[in-house]
Amino acid sequence: MRAIFRWVQGRDAGFSALRRAGRAAIVMPLMFGVAVGGIGDAVLAMFAAFGSMALLLFVDFGGAMRERLLAQGMLVVTGAVLITLGTLAAQYVWLATVGMLVVGFVVLFVGVVSSVLAGATTALLISFILPVSLPGPLSTLPDRLGGWVLAGAVTMIAISVLWPAPAVDPLRAPIAKACSLMARRLRAHLDGEDSAELAQESVKAVEDLRRGFFTTPYRPTGLTTQARMLVRLVDQIVWLDSIMEDMPVRRPNPVAREVKVAGAELLEGAAALLETGTGDLTAEFTKLRNARAAMEKKVTATLPVHYGPTEFVQDLYPSFRAQEMTFAITEIAETIELSVAARKRTWWQQLIGLQPPGAGSTIRSFRERIGAHLQRNSVWLHNSIRGAIALSVAVLVSYVSGVGHSFWVVLGSMAVLRSNALSTGQNTLRALVGTTVGIVLGGLLVSAIGTNVTISWILLPFAIILAGLAPAVISFAAGQAAFTITLLVLFTIIEPTGWQTGLVRIEDVAIGGAVSLAVGILFWPRGAAPAMRRAVADALTDSAHYLRSAVDYGVSRCDECVPATPPPTGEAQRAAASARRMDDAFRSYLAERGSKHVTLAGVSALVTAVAVIRLTAEAILDLWEQDSSSGDRTAARRNVLATGKQLVDWYDETAAALANGGKVPQPLAKTDDIQLIDAVRHDLDGNDPHATATAVKVIWTADHLDAVRRLQAGLG
């Protein structure tokens, strides 16, 4: 038994599958027995049994117990609505077909806005598939709803008292750890040291954070403000890590030292605030703002009297790196403050949607996430359409063919959808073969039971445990066999028809599998890798154009000869939408089995580059947000704009090569600093501190572009 326990533990992280299966093995037979033996209602029994299975086996909400119970309760209510709609739609063939198409698409697609919704997809689909594929008069609706609500009430008790899962936040603890380690590493830089062990530990913490973020089938987030803020932190921390990787290991320039001290203190305070939920960062924010302002003032006051371009750039570079770092740390700390403030809201404030200042509304977030995937190149949209069509056609075939148990036809399609086969081209056939083998073996085994109801009752708990555990610890085919055994045992108890039960069920499920196979061929996906290439290409293009617009906005504010450019709000939204689509495509790529022609590190470099480009654009916007200068700086503005255009053109060509298989252009050489410094020399040599500060910002903007240019060597 110890060997079996260790074997399960090695394949079922945190015993998540075993926990779900154990609960279901207790609750489902209990509900079924009460409905069949106590109430004597076969319809109520069926919906109580399937409700228990859907609400315990196919969904496992995370977070605090209060959040889990709230999510479970909303799932029960939504399922009841879908059961009502499914029963009404089942009165007419055309309505059932169209209803399955619409509901299937909405349920599959809406998961893009929240991991809670995405995790409940299978349970929600079952709550509609069951009533729509089992036609019955409207008089059966109370029994159907009664069975579902009974199952829902008992499952809410089960998740709270039967082996409750520990409250685990997949992002908060790793984010806090990464922030703490980067603060320690920054302090080591202050002393001119960079311990290899400390650097390796810091980099590993960031990689663990990225791995935990990307190795789930969907973003580990919901629509809550706290969840949205935590997801935003992932990109910000990856960016700060890339900045620290480029920091030279030597004692910092005295001009930048105080800024780095204040930055380390703010980062440490933010990590502690995220872990404990208590504290105040006001003093740390003030210290960092004052240190940054003092640095900028000192930079303009201590410029070398006699300098060449190379000497000047070298002298100014440490202050730029400090400015870049402070922006990243400030963004991280502000986001953590918003997350903690959202967490501290009362239940009433959360219910009415009261947001912390600067967090943005839930409705806006919902609209942006949906809009991001209503695009032809969205992987999530493609999969939602495929799944909805497969289920709809299965419903139509089940009605037209006149099979005796139409639910099993739709179940055959559902089985294929559960394997995610329609989202990965190269694995579709493999998953379908595994499904068929599992169904045949399970059906033959249950056929041998015959009409012996006693054996069926004895087998039921074990079949449930195996159905919940097998997909995680054995294989998909084994899971399908166990799942089929469970359902066949249920029908044997309700209607003991002997060995014919298994044969009829196999025939019906085979029809459903054939429907899914046909839909899969008609809408055959090319696989996650091509979708990944297209998504990254779009994200690179949109992020680069956002960067160019940010540069245009910034340098237009330093030259009175041109009107100030408005903030690039539209470009920012397009870049964010592309990044979301890329995120989902990347998850599909990671989930797709088989050989990868590009290493995971290589793909991660592409994904990281998109985040760095977008955040660099935001840093440039922040740099110029409070600045509006007089004076003619046409030459400097044109120089920076030309550099930005050249950079964006490179990313456009690279994106086209990535999407279409063309040749990647050679990395750009560093732009000559002589022309830019000559263009602002009169401001640097003058006696106007404000003009000098503006000239320094122009050079820092060029430095931001150069930081993005340095990504090219790794991307090629």
Side-chain angles (χ1 to χ4, degrees), residues 534-675:
R534 289 192 300 272
V536 174
D538 290 343
L540 280 175
T541 298
D542 290 338
S543 298
H545 283 252
Y546 175 35
L547 175 64
R548 181 178 179 180
S549 298
V551 172
D552 191 16
Y553 166 83
V555 296
S556 71
R557 299 173 70 83
C558 76
D559 186 3
E560 65 179 5
C561 297
V562 295
T565 302
T569 305
E571 290 83 351
Q573 292 175 346
R574 281 190 290 274
S578 294
R580 290 190 183 98
R581 292 192 295 271
M582 180 191 66
D583 178 275
D584 291 314
F586 188 36
R587 293 175 194 279
S588 295
Y589 179 79
L590 293 179
E592 185 176 64
R593 297 179 182 178
S595 60
K596 301 286 197 299
H597 297 295
V598 182
T599 63
L600 181 59
V603 181
S604 298
L606 291 167
V607 174
T608 300
V610 171
V612 170
I613 294 171
R614 287 177 54 228
L615 289 169
T616 300
E618 293 178 8
I620 292 174
L621 292 175
D622 177 77
L623 180 65
W624 289 99
E625 188 175 15
Q626 304 298 328
D627 198 291
S628 183
S629 301
S630 59
D632 182 0
R633 298 183 181 85
T634 302
R637 176 174 55 82
R638 289 178 176 173
N639 182 284
V640 175
L641 288 177
T643 301
K645 181 181 184 305
Q646 187 181 26
L647 193 62
V648 171
D649 288 345
W650 188 93
Y651 278 99
D652 280 341
E653 291 180 32
T654 301
L658 184 62
N660 304 318
K663 184 178 180 181
V664 178
Q666 290 295 319
L668 299 173
K670 179 174 171 54
T671 305
D672 193 349
D673 299 313
I674 296 176
Q675 291 183 349

Side-chain angles (χ1 to χ4, degrees), residues 682-698:
H682 63 285
D683 290 322
L684 298 173
D685 292 338
N687 297 319
D688 183 355
H690 185 68
T692 303
T694 300
V696 169
K697 287 185 178 182
V698 171

